Amino acid sequence: MALQAHSYHMVDPSPWPILGAAAALLTTSGLTMWFHYNSPRLLILGLISTALVMFQWWRDIVRESTFQGHHTPTVQKGLRYGMALFITSEAFFFLGFFWAFFHSSLAPTPELGGQWPPVGIKPLNPMEVPLLNTTILLASGITVTWAHHSITEANRKQAIQALLLTVLLGLYFTALQAMEYYEAPFSIADGVYGSTFFVATGFHGLHVIIGTMFLLVCLLRLIKYHFTSSHHFGFEAAAWYWHFVDVVWLFLYISIYWWGS
Amino acid sequence: QGLKPLAPTDYPHLIFGTSKPAPGLSAADSFLRKNKVPDLQKVFQRSDGLPVHLKLGYPDKLLYRTTMALTIGGTIYCLVALFIASQPKKQ
């Protein structure tokens, strides 16, 4: 291989960016076809191609880093900036939904009965399953930190145990939240209460699922010896994302579940 | 062990999984698995001119072609569907 006189990574030509864009086109047009013409075919095609592109793109990044050694400290610094900026953009995304919630709940209109929760809405008891979900996510924040310390201390067995526990807690949260959604006495169609509740908690739940999958991939890589005690940025990125998901839940719990009940 | 960069910029201080597993360890095979990373590093650093997304040969090619077929085919289908959808409804 030719030597390079710099510490950056000039990637091999790759089809994934353009194919990913095409997959996004299929997914969005597919949504339109499903909404307006009751045909899910294009949407399914879009979701499958998105999944295929994601799998191969991230697989290639693992190959470039762990197997080809392209992730120098310079490259890793760039990845850290990138992940931090991405999480910041996600924070702004959620900020919008919190804005919508406070817009409607701080000054409830006469149509809602001039009160929050609106007339006729029976909110969930924040001291029941939502509180359990809070403890689950807080515990998972502890276990992911335990996993990180185990990795830096080269304690393989504990790292695997801690990361596995984190993934299981994530799955437990998702299962409980799915059950709450099913059992809730109100739906997304129940006025602005239903809209703000399900859109905010729904997007949060989607991020929990994404975070759990990210952690699961890290667990598999950990088992396959991909990480070293000093170089494991994939895991750190997953852990940052997971802490972000936890913090969003805390804001959701305090504002929508607790103050909003 | 673990990451071996082309330019030696990273020196792992501690090593994962090189000690022999204790005899009679239970069937929890998660940490009994052999470390295949050095072998994979050799494979992926072969000077064969292949880009990283096709480096493993046939399985990579198959997955790539399937993805291409679905996305390019899907894009054509999508453009046709959008063209049809944009036609005015007959009164």
Side-chain angles (χ1 to χ4, degrees), chain A residues 1 12-13 15-16 19 22-23 25-26 29 33 37 41-42 45 49 52 55-56 59-60 63-69 73 151-152 154 156-157 223-231, chain B residues 1-6 9-14 16-17 30-31 33-35 37 40-41 44-45 47 51-53 55-56 60 63-64 67-68 70-72 74-75 77-78 81-82 85:
Chain A
M1 266 197 198
D12 290 339
W16 311 129
L19 293 186
L25 168 67
L26 300 187
S29 331
M33 290 301 160
Y37 300 94
R41 192 184 299 161
L42 200 54
L45 194 56
S49 45
L52 281 170
F55 170 75
Q56 292 171 92
R59 173 207 67 189
D60 287 353
R63 289 178 173 182
E64 288 160 0
S65 56
T66 308
F67 305 142
Q68 295 184 333
I151 290 173
T152 52
R156 179 178 165 80
K157 191 171 112 182
I223 290 170
K224 288 167 180 276
Y225 300 91
H226 287 199
F227 300 136
T228 72
S229 56
S230 56
H231 190 162
Chain B
Q1 205 70 348
L3 180 67
K4 275 191 175 54
L6 292 175
T9 52
D10 187 14
Y11 297 99
H13 303 294
L14 295 157
F16 269 85
S30 48
F31 33 88
R33 202 166 297 190
K34 223 167 47 101
N35 184 355
V37 171
L40 287 162
Q41 285 171 339
F44 281 98
Q45 290 177 38
S47 280
V52 72
H53 67 280
K55 201 78 170 170
L56 281 187
D60 287 356
L63 204 55
Y64 165 65
T67 311
M68 274 286 268
L70 286 174
T71 11
I72 305 299
T75 304
Y77 176 74
C78 174
L82 286 172

Coordinates of all heavy atoms in Angstrom, one line a residue, chain A residues 1 12-13 15-16 19 22-23 25-26 29 33 37 41-42 45 49 52 55-56 59-60 63-69 73 151-152 154 156-157 223-231, chain B residues 1-6 9-14 16-17 30-31 33-35 37 40-41 44-45 47 51-53 55-56 60 63-64 67-68 70-72 74-75 77-78 81-82 85:
Chain A
M1 N 0.8 -1.2 0.0 CA 0.0 0.0 0.0 C 0.9 1.2 0.0 O 1.9 1.3 0.7 CB -0.9 0.0 1.3 CG -2.2 -0.6 1.1 SD -3.3 -0.2 2.4 CE -4.5 -1.4 2.2
D12 N -11.8 4.7 0.5 CA -11.9 4.1 -0.8 C -13.3 4.6 -1.4 O -14.2 4.9 -0.7 CB -12.0 2.6 -0.7 CG -10.7 2.0 -0.3 OD1 -9.7 2.6 -0.5 OD2 -10.7 0.8 0.2
P13 N -13.4 4.7 -2.7 CA -14.7 5.0 -3.3 C -15.7 4.1 -2.8 O -15.5 2.9 -2.8 CB -14.4 4.9 -4.8 CG -13.0 5.0 -5.0 CD -12.3 4.4 -3.8
P15 N -20.1 3.1 -2.7 CA -21.5 3.4 -3.2 C -22.5 3.8 -2.2 O -23.6 4.2 -2.5 CB -21.8 2.0 -3.8 CG -21.2 1.1 -2.9 CD -19.9 1.7 -2.5
W16 N -22.2 3.7 -0.9 CA -23.2 3.8 0.1 C -23.8 5.2 0.3 O -25.0 5.3 0.5 CB -22.7 3.2 1.5 CG -22.1 1.9 1.4 CD1 -20.9 1.5 1.8 CD2 -22.6 0.7 0.6 NE1 -20.7 0.2 1.5 CE2 -21.7 -0.3 0.7 CE3 -23.8 0.5 -0.1 CZ2 -21.9 -1.5 0.1 CZ3 -24.0 -0.7 -0.7 CH2 -23.0 -1.7 -0.6
L19 N -26.4 5.5 -2.6 CA -27.4 4.5 -2.5 C -28.3 4.8 -1.2 O -29.5 4.6 -1.2 CB -26.9 3.1 -2.4 CG -26.2 2.6 -3.7 CD1 -25.8 1.1 -3.6 CD2 -27.1 2.8 -4.9
A22 N -30.7 7.4 -2.3 CA -31.8 6.8 -3.0 C -32.7 6.1 -2.1 O -34.0 6.1 -2.3 CB -31.2 5.8 -4.0
A23 N -32.2 5.4 -1.1 CA -33.1 4.7 -0.1 C -34.0 5.7 0.6 O -35.1 5.4 0.9 CB -32.2 3.9 0.8
L25 N -35.0 8.5 -0.6 CA -36.1 8.9 -1.6 C -37.2 7.8 -1.6 O -38.4 8.2 -1.5 CB -35.5 9.0 -3.0 CG -36.5 9.1 -4.1 CD1 -37.2 10.4 -4.1 CD2 -35.8 8.9 -5.5
L26 N -36.8 6.5 -1.6 CA -37.8 5.5 -1.7 C -38.7 5.5 -0.4 O -39.9 5.3 -0.4 CB -37.2 4.1 -1.8 CG -36.3 3.9 -3.1 CD1 -35.9 2.4 -3.1 CD2 -37.0 4.3 -4.3
S29 N -41.0 8.8 -0.4 CA -42.1 8.6 -1.4 C -43.0 7.5 -1.0 O -44.2 7.5 -1.3 CB -41.5 8.4 -2.8 OG -40.3 9.0 -3.0
M33 N -47.0 7.3 -0.8 CA -47.8 6.3 -1.5 C -48.7 5.5 -0.5 O -49.9 5.2 -0.8 CB -47.0 5.3 -2.3 CG -46.3 5.9 -3.5 SD -47.5 6.5 -4.6 CE -46.5 7.6 -5.6
Y37 N -52.4 6.5 -1.3 CA -52.9 5.5 -2.2 C -53.0 4.1 -1.5 O -53.2 3.1 -2.2 CB -52.0 5.4 -3.5 CG -52.0 6.7 -4.2 CD1 -51.0 7.6 -4.0 CD2 -53.0 7.0 -5.1 CE1 -50.9 8.8 -4.7 CE2 -52.9 8.2 -5.9 CZ -51.9 9.1 -5.6 OH -51.9 10.3 -6.3
R41 N -45.9 -0.8 -0.8 CA -44.9 -1.5 -1.5 C -43.6 -0.7 -1.5 O -42.5 -1.1 -1.2 CB -45.3 -1.8 -2.9 CG -44.4 -2.8 -3.6 CD -44.8 -3.0 -5.1 NE -46.1 -3.5 -5.2 CZ -46.8 -3.5 -6.3 NH1 -46.4 -2.8 -7.4 NH2 -48.0 -4.0 -6.4
L42 N -43.7 0.6 -1.9 CA -42.5 1.5 -2.0 C -41.9 1.7 -0.7 O -40.7 1.8 -0.5 CB -42.9 2.8 -2.7 CG -41.8 3.6 -3.4 CD1 -41.1 2.8 -4.4 CD2 -42.5 4.8 -4.0
L45 N -39.9 -1.3 0.4 CA -38.7 -1.3 -0.4 C -37.7 -0.3 0.1 O -36.5 -0.5 0.2 CB -39.0 -0.9 -1.9 CG -38.0 -1.2 -3.0 CD1 -37.6 -2.6 -3.0 CD2 -38.6 -0.8 -4.3
S49 N -34.0 -1.2 1.7 CA -32.8 -0.7 1.2 C -32.0 0.2 2.2 O -30.8 0.2 2.2 CB -33.0 0.1 -0.2 OG -34.1 0.9 -0.1
L52 N -30.2 -2.2 4.4 CA -29.0 -2.8 3.7 C -27.9 -1.8 3.6 O -26.7 -2.1 3.9 CB -29.4 -3.2 2.3 CG -30.2 -4.5 2.2 CD1 -30.8 -4.7 0.8 CD2 -29.3 -5.7 2.5
F55 N -26.3 -1.3 7.1 CA -25.5 -2.4 7.5 C -24.2 -2.4 6.8 O -23.1 -2.5 7.5 CB -26.3 -3.7 7.2 CG -25.4 -4.9 7.4 CD1 -25.1 -5.4 8.6 CD2 -24.8 -5.6 6.3 CE1 -24.3 -6.5 8.8 CE2 -24.0 -6.7 6.4 CZ -23.7 -7.2 7.7
Q56 N -24.1 -2.2 5.5 CA -22.9 -2.3 4.8 C -22.0 -1.1 5.0 O -20.7 -1.2 5.1 CB -23.2 -2.4 3.3 CG -23.8 -3.8 3.0 CD -24.3 -3.9 1.6 OE1 -23.6 -4.4 0.7 NE2 -25.6 -3.5 1.3
R59 N -20.5 -1.6 8.5 CA -19.6 -2.7 8.4 C -18.3 -2.3 7.8 O -17.2 -2.7 8.2 CB -20.3 -3.8 7.5 CG -19.3 -5.0 7.2 CD -19.7 -5.6 5.8 NE -19.4 -4.8 4.7 CZ -19.8 -5.0 3.5 NH1 -20.5 -6.1 3.2 NH2 -19.5 -4.1 2.5
D60 N -18.4 -1.4 6.7 CA -17.1 -1.0 6.1 C -16.3 -0.1 7.0 O -15.1 -0.1 7.0 CB -17.5 -0.2 4.8 CG -17.9 -1.0 3.7 OD1 -17.9 -2.3 3.8 OD2 -18.4 -0.5 2.7
R63 N -14.4 -2.3 9.2 CA -13.3 -2.9 8.4 C -12.2 -1.9 8.3 O -11.0 -2.2 8.5 CB -13.8 -3.3 7.0 CG -14.7 -4.5 7.0 CD -15.2 -4.8 5.6 NE -15.9 -6.0 5.5 CZ -16.4 -6.5 4.4 NH1 -16.2 -5.9 3.2 NH2 -17.1 -7.6 4.4
E64 N -12.5 -0.6 8.0 CA -11.5 0.4 7.8 C -10.7 0.7 9.1 O -9.5 1.0 9.1 CB -12.1 1.7 7.3 CG -12.6 1.6 5.9 CD -13.7 2.7 5.6 OE1 -14.0 3.5 6.5 OE2 -14.2 2.7 4.4
S65 N -11.4 0.6 10.3 CA -10.8 0.9 11.5 C -10.1 -0.3 12.2 O -8.9 -0.3 12.3 CB -11.8 1.5 12.5 OG -12.9 0.6 12.7
T66 N -10.9 -1.3 12.5 CA -10.3 -2.4 13.3 C -9.4 -3.3 12.4 O -8.4 -3.7 12.9 CB -11.5 -3.3 13.8 OG1 -12.4 -2.4 14.5 CG2 -10.9 -4.4 14.8
F67 N -9.8 -3.5 11.1 CA -9.0 -4.4 10.3 C -7.9 -3.7 9.5 O -6.9 -4.3 9.1 CB -9.9 -5.2 9.4 CG -11.0 -6.0 10.2 CD1 -12.2 -6.1 9.7 CD2 -10.7 -6.5 11.4 CE1 -13.2 -6.8 10.4 CE2 -11.7 -7.2 12.2 CZ -13.0 -7.3 11.6
Q68 N -8.2 -2.4 9.1 CA -7.2 -1.8 8.2 C -6.4 -0.7 9.0 O -5.4 -0.1 8.4 CB -7.9 -1.2 7.0 CG -8.4 -2.2 6.1 CD -9.0 -1.6 4.8 OE1 -9.5 -0.5 4.8 NE2 -9.1 -2.4 3.8
G69 N -6.8 -0.4 10.2 CA -6.0 0.6 11.0 C -6.0 2.0 10.6 O -5.1 2.8 10.9
P73 N -5.4 8.8 15.8 CA -5.9 9.7 16.7 C -6.6 11.0 16.1 O -7.6 11.5 16.5 CB -4.7 10.1 17.6 CG -3.8 8.9 17.5 CD -4.0 8.4 16.2
I151 N -13.8 -1.9 30.2 CA -13.0 -2.0 29.0 C -11.7 -1.3 29.2 O -10.6 -1.8 28.8 CB -13.8 -1.3 27.8 CG1 -15.0 -2.1 27.4 CG2 -12.9 -1.0 26.6 CD1 -15.9 -1.4 26.4
T152 N -11.6 -0.1 29.8 CA -10.3 0.6 30.0 C -9.4 -0.2 30.9 O -8.2 -0.1 30.8 CB -10.5 2.0 30.5 OG1 -11.3 2.0 31.7 CG2 -11.2 2.9 29.5
A154 N -9.3 -3.5 30.9 CA -9.1 -4.7 30.2 C -9.7 -5.9 30.9 O -9.3 -7.0 30.8 CB -7.6 -5.0 30.0
R156 N -12.4 -8.2 30.5 CA -13.3 -8.7 29.4 C -14.6 -9.2 30.0 O -15.7 -8.8 29.5 CB -12.6 -9.7 28.6 CG -13.4 -10.3 27.5 CD -12.6 -11.3 26.7 NE -13.4 -12.1 25.8 CZ -13.9 -11.7 24.7 NH1 -13.6 -10.5 24.2 NH2 -14.6 -12.6 24.0
K157 N -14.5 -10.0 31.0 CA -15.7 -10.7 31.5 C -16.7 -9.7 32.0 O -17.9 -9.7 31.7 CB -15.3 -11.7 32.6 CG -16.5 -12.6 33.0 CD -16.0 -13.7 33.9 CE -16.6 -13.5 35.2 NZ -16.3 -14.5 36.3
I223 N -17.3 -8.8 22.2 CA -17.1 -10.2 22.3 C -16.1 -10.7 21.2 O -15.3 -11.6 21.5 CB -18.4 -11.0 22.1 CG1 -19.3 -10.7 23.3 CG2 -18.2 -12.5 21.9 CD1 -20.7 -11.2 23.1
K224 N -16.1 -10.0 20.0 CA -15.1 -10.4 19.0 C -13.8 -9.7 19.1 O -13.0 -9.7 18.1 CB -15.8 -10.1 17.6 CG -16.9 -10.9 17.2 CD -17.6 -10.2 16.0 CE -18.8 -11.0 15.5 NZ -18.4 -12.1 14.6
Y225 N -13.5 -9.1 20.2 CA -12.1 -8.6 20.4 C -11.8 -7.4 19.6 O -10.6 -7.1 19.3 CB -11.0 -9.6 20.2 CG -11.2 -10.8 21.1 CD1 -11.9 -12.0 20.7 CD2 -10.5 -10.9 22.4 CE1 -11.9 -13.1 21.5 CE2 -10.6 -12.0 23.2 CZ -11.3 -13.1 22.8 OH -11.4 -14.2 23.6
H226 N -12.8 -6.6 19.1 CA -12.5 -5.5 18.3 C -12.0 -4.3 19.1 O -11.2 -3.5 18.5 CB -13.8 -5.0 17.6 CG -14.2 -5.9 16.5 ND1 -15.1 -5.5 15.5 CD2 -13.9 -7.2 16.2 CE1 -15.3 -6.5 14.6 NE2 -14.6 -7.5 15.1
F227 N -12.3 -4.2 20.4 CA -11.9 -3.0 21.2 C -10.6 -3.3 21.9 O -10.4 -4.4 22.4 CB -13.0 -2.7 22.2 CG -14.3 -2.3 21.6 CD1 -15.5 -2.8 22.1 CD2 -14.4 -1.5 20.5 CE1 -16.7 -2.5 21.6 CE2 -15.6 -1.1 19.9 CZ -16.8 -1.6 20.5
T228 N -9.8 -2.2 22.1 CA -8.7 -2.3 23.0 C -9.0 -1.4 24.2 O -9.9 -0.6 24.1 CB -7.4 -1.9 22.3 OG1 -7.4 -0.5 22.2 CG2 -7.2 -2.6 21.0
S229 N -8.1 -1.5 25.2 CA -8.4 -0.8 26.4 C -8.2 0.7 26.2 O -8.7 1.6 26.9 CB -7.5 -1.2 27.6 OG -6.2 -1.1 27.2
S230 N -7.5 1.1 25.1 CA -7.2 2.5 24.9 C -7.9 3.0 23.6 O -8.0 4.2 23.4 CB -5.8 2.8 24.8 OG -5.2 2.0 23.8
H231 N -8.5 2.1 22.8 CA -9.1 2.5 21.5 C -10.5 1.8 21.4 O -10.5 0.6 21.0 CB -8.2 2.3 20.4 CG -8.7 2.9 19.1 ND1 -7.9 3.1 18.0 CD2 -9.9 3.3 18.7 CE1 -8.6 3.7 17.0 NE2 -9.8 3.8 17.4
Chain B
Q1 N -2.6 -7.3 19.4 CA -3.9 -7.7 19.8 C -4.8 -6.6 19.6 O -4.5 -5.4 19.9 CB -3.8 -8.1 21.3 CG -4.9 -9.0 21.7 CD -4.7 -10.4 21.2 OE1 -3.8 -10.7 20.3 NE2 -5.4 -11.4 21.7
G2 N -6.0 -6.8 19.2 CA -6.9 -5.7 18.9 C -6.5 -4.9 17.7 O -6.1 -5.4 16.7
L3 N -6.5 -3.6 17.9 CA -6.2 -2.7 16.7 C -4.7 -2.7 16.4 O -3.9 -2.4 17.3 CB -6.7 -1.3 17.1 CG -6.4 -0.2 16.0 CD1 -7.3 -0.6 14.8 CD2 -6.8 1.1 16.5
K4 N -4.4 -2.9 15.1 CA -3.0 -2.8 14.7 C -2.9 -1.8 13.5 O -3.2 -2.2 12.4 CB -2.4 -4.1 14.2 CG -1.9 -5.0 15.4 CD -1.1 -6.2 14.8 CE -0.5 -7.0 15.9 NZ -1.3 -7.5 17.0
P5 N -2.7 -0.5 13.8 CA -2.7 0.5 12.7 C -1.5 0.3 11.7 O -0.5 -0.3 12.1 CB -2.6 1.8 13.4 CG -2.0 1.5 14.7 CD -2.3 0.1 15.0
L6 N -1.6 0.8 10.5 CA -0.5 0.7 9.5 C 0.6 1.5 10.1 O 1.8 1.1 10.1 CB -1.0 1.2 8.2 CG -2.0 0.3 7.4 CD1 -2.4 1.0 6.2 CD2 -1.4 -1.0 7.1
T9 N 0.5 4.3 15.5 CA 0.2 5.4 16.4 C -0.5 5.0 17.6 O -0.8 5.9 18.5 CB -0.7 6.4 15.6 OG1 -1.8 5.6 15.1 CG2 0.1 7.0 14.4
D10 N -0.9 3.8 17.7 CA -1.7 3.4 18.9 C -1.1 2.1 19.5 O -0.9 1.1 18.9 CB -3.1 3.0 18.4 CG -4.1 2.8 19.5 OD1 -3.7 3.1 20.7 OD2 -5.1 2.2 19.3
Y11 N -0.7 2.3 20.8 CA -0.1 1.1 21.5 C -1.1 0.7 22.6 O -1.1 1.3 23.6 CB 1.2 1.5 22.1 CG 2.2 1.8 21.0 CD1 2.5 3.2 20.7 CD2 2.9 0.9 20.3 CE1 3.4 3.5 19.7 CE2 3.8 1.2 19.3 CZ 4.0 2.5 19.0 OH 4.9 2.8 18.0
P12 N -1.8 -0.4 22.4 CA -2.7 -0.8 23.5 C -1.9 -1.2 24.7 O -0.9 -2.0 24.5 CB -3.4 -2.0 22.9 CG -2.8 -2.3 21.5 CD -1.9 -1.2 21.2
H13 N -2.2 -0.7 25.8 CA -1.4 -1.0 27.0 C -1.7 -2.4 27.6 O -0.9 -3.0 28.1 CB -1.6 0.1 28.1 CG -1.3 1.4 27.5 ND1 0.0 1.8 27.2 CD2 -2.1 2.5 27.3 CE1 -0.1 3.1 26.7 NE2 -1.3 3.5 26.8
L14 N -3.0 -2.7 27.5 CA -3.4 -4.0 28.1 C -4.0 -4.9 27.0 O -4.5 -4.4 26.1 CB -4.5 -3.7 29.2 CG -3.9 -2.9 30.4 CD1 -5.0 -2.2 31.1 CD2 -3.1 -3.8 31.3
F16 N -6.5 -7.9 25.7 CA -7.7 -8.7 25.9 C -7.5 -10.2 25.5 O -6.9 -10.5 24.5 CB -8.8 -8.2 25.0 CG -9.7 -7.1 25.7 CD1 -9.3 -5.8 25.6 CD2 -10.8 -7.4 26.3 CE1 -10.0 -4.8 26.2 CE2 -11.6 -6.5 26.9 CZ -11.2 -5.2 26.9
G17 N -7.9 -11.0 26.4 CA -8.2 -12.4 26.0 C -7.0 -13.2 25.5 O -7.1 -14.2 24.8
S30 N -19.1 -17.0 25.2 CA -18.8 -15.6 24.8 C -17.4 -15.2 24.9 O -16.8 -14.6 24.1 CB -19.7 -14.6 25.5 OG -19.7 -14.9 26.9
F31 N -16.7 -15.6 26.0 CA -15.3 -15.2 26.1 C -14.4 -16.3 25.9 O -13.2 -16.2 26.0 CB -15.0 -14.5 27.5 CG -15.8 -15.0 28.7 CD1 -15.4 -16.1 29.4 CD2 -17.0 -14.4 29.0 CE1 -16.1 -16.6 30.5 CE2 -17.7 -14.8 30.1 CZ -17.3 -15.9 30.8
R33 N -14.4 -17.6 22.8 CA -14.2 -17.5 21.4 C -12.8 -17.0 21.1 O -12.2 -16.2 21.8 CB -15.2 -16.4 20.8 CG -15.4 -16.6 19.4 CD -16.6 -15.8 19.0 NE -17.9 -16.3 19.7 CZ -19.1 -15.8 19.4 NH1 -19.2 -14.9 18.5 NH2 -20.1 -16.3 20.0
K34 N -12.2 -17.6 20.1 CA -10.8 -17.2 19.7 C -10.8 -15.8 19.1 O -11.8 -15.4 18.4 CB -10.3 -18.2 18.6 CG -8.9 -18.6 18.9 CD -8.5 -19.8 18.0 CE -8.9 -19.7 16.6 NZ -7.9 -19.3 15.6
N35 N -9.7 -15.1 19.3 CA -9.6 -13.7 18.7 C -9.2 -13.9 17.3 O -8.1 -14.2 16.9 CB -8.5 -13.0 19.5 CG -8.4 -11.5 19.0 OD1 -9.1 -11.2 18.0 ND2 -7.6 -10.8 19.7
V37 N -9.3 -11.3 15.2 CA -8.9 -10.0 14.6 C -7.6 -10.0 13.8 O -7.5 -9.4 12.7 CB -9.0 -8.9 15.7 CG1 -8.4 -7.6 15.2 CG2 -10.4 -8.7 16.2
L40 N -8.2 -11.4 10.4 CA -9.0 -10.5 9.6 C -8.2 -9.3 9.2 O -8.3 -8.8 8.0 CB -10.2 -10.0 10.4 CG -11.3 -11.1 10.5 CD1 -12.3 -10.8 11.6 CD2 -12.0 -11.3 9.2
Q41 N -7.3 -8.8 10.0 CA -6.4 -7.7 9.7 C -5.5 -8.1 8.4 O -5.4 -7.3 7.5 CB -5.5 -7.3 10.8 CG -6.3 -6.5 11.9 CD -5.5 -6.3 13.2 OE1 -4.6 -7.0 13.5 NE2 -6.0 -5.3 13.9
F44 N -7.8 -8.1 5.3 CA -8.3 -6.8 4.8 C -7.1 -5.9 4.4 O -7.3 -4.8 3.8 CB -9.1 -6.1 5.8 CG -10.5 -6.6 5.8 CD1 -10.9 -7.5 6.7 CD2 -11.4 -6.1 4.9 CE1 -12.2 -8.0 6.7 CE2 -12.7 -6.6 4.9 CZ -13.1 -7.6 5.8
Q45 N -5.9 -6.3 4.7 CA -4.7 -5.5 4.3 C -4.0 -6.0 3.1 O -3.0 -5.6 2.7 CB -3.8 -5.3 5.5 CG -4.4 -4.4 6.5 CD -3.5 -4.2 7.8 OE1 -2.3 -4.1 7.7 NE2 -4.2 -4.1 8.9
S47 N -2.9 -6.5 -0.6 CA -2.8 -5.6 -1.7 C -3.4 -6.1 -3.0 O -2.7 -6.5 -3.9 CB -1.3 -5.3 -2.0 OG -0.8 -4.4 -1.1
P51 N -11.7 -2.4 -3.3 CA -12.2 -1.4 -2.3 C -12.8 -2.1 -1.1 O -13.2 -3.3 -1.2 CB -13.3 -0.6 -3.0 CG -13.8 -1.6 -4.1 CD -12.6 -2.4 -4.5
V52 N -12.8 -1.4 0.0 CA -13.2 -2.1 1.3 C -14.6 -2.7 1.3 O -14.8 -3.8 1.9 CB -13.1 -1.1 2.5 CG1 -14.2 0.0 2.4 CG2 -13.1 -1.8 3.8
H53 N -15.5 -2.2 0.4 CA -16.8 -2.8 0.5 C -16.9 -4.0 -0.3 O -18.0 -4.7 -0.3 CB -17.9 -1.7 0.0 CG -17.8 -1.4 -1.5 ND1 -16.9 -0.4 -1.9 CD2 -18.5 -1.7 -2.5 CE1 -17.1 -0.3 -3.2 NE2 -18.0 -1.1 -3.6
K55 N -14.1 -6.2 -0.3 CA -12.8 -6.9 0.0 C -12.9 -8.4 0.3 O -11.9 -9.1 0.1 CB -12.2 -6.2 1.3 CG -10.7 -6.4 1.4 CD -9.9 -5.5 0.5 CE -8.4 -5.6 0.9 NZ -7.6 -4.9 -0.1
L56 N -14.1 -8.8 0.7 CA -14.2 -10.3 1.0 C -14.6 -11.1 -0.2 O -14.9 -12.3 0.0 CB -15.2 -10.5 2.2 CG -14.7 -10.2 3.6 CD1 -15.7 -10.6 4.6 CD2 -13.4 -11.0 3.9
D60 N -19.6 -10.1 -0.5 CA -19.7 -8.7 -0.6 C -20.3 -8.3 -1.9 O -21.2 -7.4 -1.9 CB -18.3 -8.0 -0.5 CG -17.7 -8.1 0.9 OD1 -18.4 -8.5 1.8 OD2 -16.6 -7.6 1.1
L63 N -24.1 -9.0 -1.9 CA -24.9 -8.0 -1.1 C -24.9 -6.7 -1.8 O -26.0 -6.0 -1.8 CB -24.3 -7.9 0.3 CG -25.1 -7.5 1.5 CD1 -26.4 -8.3 1.6 CD2 -24.3 -7.5 2.8
Y64 N -23.8 -6.3 -2.3 CA -23.8 -5.0 -3.0 C -24.7 -5.0 -4.2 O -25.5 -4.0 -4.4 CB -22.3 -4.7 -3.5 CG -22.2 -3.7 -4.5 CD1 -22.5 -2.3 -4.2 CD2 -21.7 -3.9 -5.8 CE1 -22.3 -1.3 -5.1 CE2 -21.6 -2.9 -6.8 CZ -21.9 -1.6 -6.4 OH -21.7 -0.6 -7.3
T67 N -28.3 -4.8 -3.1 CA -28.6 -3.5 -2.7 C -28.8 -2.5 -3.9 O -29.8 -1.8 -3.9 CB -27.6 -2.9 -1.7 OG1 -27.3 -3.9 -0.7 CG2 -28.0 -1.6 -1.1
M68 N -27.9 -2.6 -4.8 CA -28.0 -1.8 -6.0 C -29.3 -2.1 -6.8 O -30.0 -1.1 -7.2 CB -26.8 -2.1 -7.0 CG -25.6 -1.4 -6.8 SD -25.7 0.3 -7.3 CE -25.1 0.2 -8.9
L70 N -32.1 -3.3 -5.7 CA -33.3 -2.8 -5.0 C -33.4 -1.3 -5.0 O -34.5 -0.7 -5.2 CB -33.3 -3.3 -3.5 CG -33.6 -4.7 -3.3 CD1 -33.4 -5.1 -1.8 CD2 -35.0 -5.1 -3.6
T71 N -32.3 -0.6 -4.8 CA -32.3 0.9 -4.8 C -32.5 1.4 -6.2 O -33.4 2.3 -6.3 CB -31.0 1.5 -4.2 OG1 -30.0 0.5 -4.1 CG2 -31.3 2.1 -2.8
I72 N -31.7 1.0 -7.2 CA -31.9 1.6 -8.5 C -33.2 1.2 -9.1 O -34.0 2.1 -9.6 CB -30.7 1.1 -9.4 CG1 -29.4 1.5 -8.8 CG2 -30.9 1.8 -10.8 CD1 -29.1 2.9 -8.6
G74 N -35.9 0.4 -7.4 CA -36.9 1.1 -6.6 C -37.0 2.6 -7.0 O -38.1 3.1 -7.1
T75 N -35.8 3.2 -7.4 CA -35.9 4.6 -7.8 C -36.6 4.8 -9.1 O -37.4 5.7 -9.2 CB -34.4 5.1 -7.9 OG1 -33.7 4.9 -6.7 CG2 -34.4 6.6 -8.3
Y77 N -39.0 2.8 -10.2 CA -40.4 2.5 -9.9 C -41.0 3.8 -9.2 O -42.1 4.2 -9.5 CB -40.5 1.3 -8.9 CG -41.8 1.0 -8.4 CD1 -42.8 0.4 -9.2 CD2 -42.2 1.2 -7.0 CE1 -44.1 0.1 -8.7 CE2 -43.4 1.0 -6.5 CZ -44.4 0.4 -7.4 OH -45.6 0.1 -6.9
C78 N -40.2 4.4 -8.3 CA -40.6 5.6 -7.6 C -40.9 6.7 -8.6 O -41.9 7.4 -8.5 CB -39.5 5.9 -6.6 SG -39.8 7.5 -5.8
A81 N -44.1 6.0 -10.4 CA -45.2 6.2 -9.5 C -45.5 7.7 -9.3 O -46.6 8.1 -9.3 CB -45.0 5.5 -8.2
L82 N -44.4 8.5 -9.1 CA -44.6 9.9 -8.8 C -45.2 10.6 -10.1 O -46.0 11.5 -10.0 CB -43.3 10.6 -8.4 CG -42.9 10.2 -7.0 CD1 -41.5 10.8 -6.7 CD2 -43.8 10.8 -6.0
A85 N -48.8 9.7 -10.2 CA -49.5 10.4 -9.2 C -49.7 11.9 -9.5 O -50.6 12.5 -9.0 CB -48.8 10.2 -7.8

